[in-house]
């Protein structure tokens, strides 16, 4: 590639009917200045492209890291959700089991109370029957005592 220095140092051979040397030199100076500006601008643009490429690489790295982070976060969220669901299910099952046990204990208590009630009722009936029987015998004994007593109205 031609550099501005190449343009500045370029010398042409002189010919018989050549161009005017001053005009060629002036034109070459203009070309050199324009080419030098373009050359510097090209270098600056290449540097800028390299810098932007580096930034793009960094951003791609950041993007990849963010994607991985999002995947891990999503995976973790799903795992937490599943664990919470399992834990809630276990709590519900445990609560249902405890409730069944409490109901079963309450039913057993009701049955035991009913048995006790029946026992007390039977004992009461037995007591009532015996008491009636005893009272009957006592009345009979009292009647017999009064029958054996001499009647005061007969005197």
């Amino acid at each position: 590639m031609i550099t501005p220095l190449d343009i500045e140092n370029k010398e042409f051979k002189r010919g018989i009917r050549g161009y005017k040397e001053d005009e060629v030199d002036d034109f070459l100076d203009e070309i050199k200045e324009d080419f030098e500006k373009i050359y510097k601008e090209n270098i600056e643009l290449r540097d800028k492209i390299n810098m932007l490429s580096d930034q793009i690489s960094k951003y791609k790295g950041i993007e990849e890291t963010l994607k991985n982070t999002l995947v891990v976060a999503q995976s973790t969220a799903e795992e937490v959700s599943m664990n919470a669901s399992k834990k809630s299910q276990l709590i519900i099952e445990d609560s249902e089991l405890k409730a069944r046990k409490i109901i079963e204990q309450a039913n057993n208590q009701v049955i035991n109370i009913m048995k006790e009630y029946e026992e007390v009722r039977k004992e009461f009936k037995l007591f009532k029957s015996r008491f009636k029987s005893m009272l009957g015998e006592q009345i009979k004994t009292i009647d017999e005592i009064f029958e054996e007593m001499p009647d005061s109205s007969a005197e």
Side-chain angles (χ1 to χ4, degrees), residues 128-142:
K128 181 180 158 187
S129 168
R130 284 184 183 166
F131 191 68
K132 272 185 174 181
S133 175
M134 182 182 80
L135 283 179
E137 286 177 22
Q138 291 296 323
I139 290 174
K140 210 186 229 185
T141 305
I142 290 175

Side-chain angles (χ1 to χ4, degrees), residues 5 7 17 31 34 36 50 58 89 103 113 120 123:
L5 192 57
I7 295 173
R17 292 182 54 149
I31 290 176
D34 289 345
E36 191 172 336
N50 287 335
K58 286 179 189 176
Q89 188 62 35
I103 291 170
I113 290 171
V120 169
E123 286 179 17

Side-chain angles (χ1 to χ4, degrees), residues 1-10 12 22-40:
M1 182 171 181
I2 297 176
T3 64
L5 192 57
D6 293 338
I7 295 173
E8 187 177 353
N9 293 333
K10 179 66 176 169
F12 296 97
D22 289 340
E23 285 181 18
V24 170
D25 285 342
D26 288 343
F27 184 70
L28 284 177
D29 285 342
E30 279 182 46
I31 290 176
K32 179 191 86 129
E33 286 175 15
D34 289 345
F35 190 77
E36 191 172 336
K37 286 178 188 175
I38 292 172
Y39 189 77
K40 284 179 183 178

Side-chain angles (χ1 to χ4, degrees), residues 86-103:
K86 286 179 184 177
K87 189 172 183 177
S88 68
Q89 188 62 35
L90 287 175
I91 289 170
I92 290 170
E93 289 173 1
D94 187 47
S95 297
E96 287 175 348
L97 181 63
K98 286 179 181 178
R100 275 188 245 123
K101 284 182 180 179
I102 290 170
I103 291 170

Side-chain angles (χ1 to χ4, degrees), residues 55-84:
Q55 284 183 342
I56 287 173
S57 295
K58 286 179 189 176
Y59 288 134
K60 283 184 179 180
I62 291 171
E63 179 185 21
E64 191 63 32
T65 301
L66 287 174
K67 282 181 183 177
N68 291 338
T69 303
L70 284 175
V71 167
V72 168
Q74 185 178 8
S75 163
T76 303
E78 288 173 359
E79 187 176 323
V80 165
S81 176
M82 281 183 14
N83 287 340

